[in-house]
Amino acid sequence: DGGITQSPKYLFRKEGQNVTLSCEQNLNHDAMYWYRQDPGQGLRLIYYSQIVNDFQKGDIAEGYSVSREKKESFPLTVTSAQKNPTAFYLCASNGQGGGYTFGSGTRLTVV
Amino acid sequence: EDQVTQSPEALRLQEGESSSLNCSYTVSGLRGLFWYRQDPGKGPEFLFTLYSAGEEKEKERLKATLTKKESFLHITAPKPEDSATYLCAVREGAQKLVFGQGTRLTINP
């Protein structure tokens, strides 16, 4: 079955540590996205990529970095510069318009 | 800048009690309005896309409608399994979606 796989489901980060969230899709979609969701809030765009080796900042890119070396993969690194990283992170992909397909999310907690 | 506002923030209904959720938007040229369902701890699940005023789409107990300024998600005779957060989004530019904050719907048996 085609879809998006995010891993891990739960992730714990110590102060000053970088962590990387994985996102893999087998839908052959060109565009991929990272969103952050905080309790009681909507989704906010962190980064997006419309094609391999190219990506753009979203509305809240500070403290995050991404890469897009393969069409199937769009990993997100939460750096130590992100002062409030505790949140639910969602990866999505999109083909030729229409609705996004979302992964099941990664819950990141600072310990 | 495109904006999306959903109301109410939370809604509690009895099983079988029909109601509507609202999504108001401001966008320079609508390229699509999207409804998603999200269960706790999971990713959003796509429900509908609407493109032009007057368009309607249905799926089981849900019907989405669109005007030039807002969209409604009508829920007819809901069941407890319809409990979830419902998200509305509009397309900004070629690919980006801008989301509202969601409506948390609870259906009591």
Side-chain angles (χ1 to χ4, degrees), chain A residues 23-44:
Chain A
C23 177
E24 303 279 334
Q25 56 104 352
N26 60 5
L27 299 166
N28 199 34
H29 286 169
D30 287 316
M32 297 186 73
Y33 309 80
W34 275 105
Y35 281 89
R36 167 180 173 144
Q37 187 174 36
D38 294 284
Q41 296 191 29
L43 280 64
R44 292 184 291 167

Side-chain angles (χ1 to χ4, degrees), chain A residues 63-76:
Chain A
Y64 300 97
S65 66
V66 294
S67 63
R68 186 85 187 277
E69 297 177 358
K70 299 186 302 181
K71 187 175 186 178
E72 301 80 16
S73 179
F74 191 41
L76 174 73

Side-chain angles (χ1 to χ4, degrees), chain B residues 3 23-27 30 33 66-71 90:
Chain B
Q3 289 190 333
C23 172
S24 298
Y25 63 90
T26 55
V27 60
L30 182 66
L33 184 139
L66 182 66
T67 72
K68 289 185 177 180
K69 294 183 178 181
E70 58 192 350
S71 176
V90 296

Side-chain angles (χ1 to χ4, degrees), chain B residues 69-108:
Chain B
K69 294 183 178 181
E70 58 192 350
S71 176
F72 292 93
L73 185 64
H74 306 278
I75 303 176
T76 302
K79 299 181 179 182
E81 54 262 42
D82 294 321
S83 297
T85 295
Y86 291 86
L87 299 169
C88 171
V90 296
R91 186 187 302 281
E92 178 181 279
Q95 290 271 10
K96 292 167 54 179
L97 291 188
V98 177
F99 284 83
Q101 80 279 18
T103 292
R104 189 173 65 255
L105 177 66
T106 304
I107 308 299
N108 295 317

Side-chain angles (χ1 to χ4, degrees), chain B residues 25-61:
Chain B
Y25 63 90
T26 55
V27 60
S28 54
L30 182 66
R31 298 176 182 84
L33 184 139
F34 303 82
W35 282 99
Y36 286 85
R37 169 192 171 126
Q38 186 177 24
D39 292 303
K42 296 187 177 181
E45 175 188 343
F46 173 74
L47 293 174
F48 305 110
T49 307
L50 302 167
Y51 289 101
S52 56
E55 188 175 359
E56 298 183 354
K57 289 192 176 175
E58 289 188 64
K59 180 180 180 180
E60 296 181 357
R61 295 176 292 281

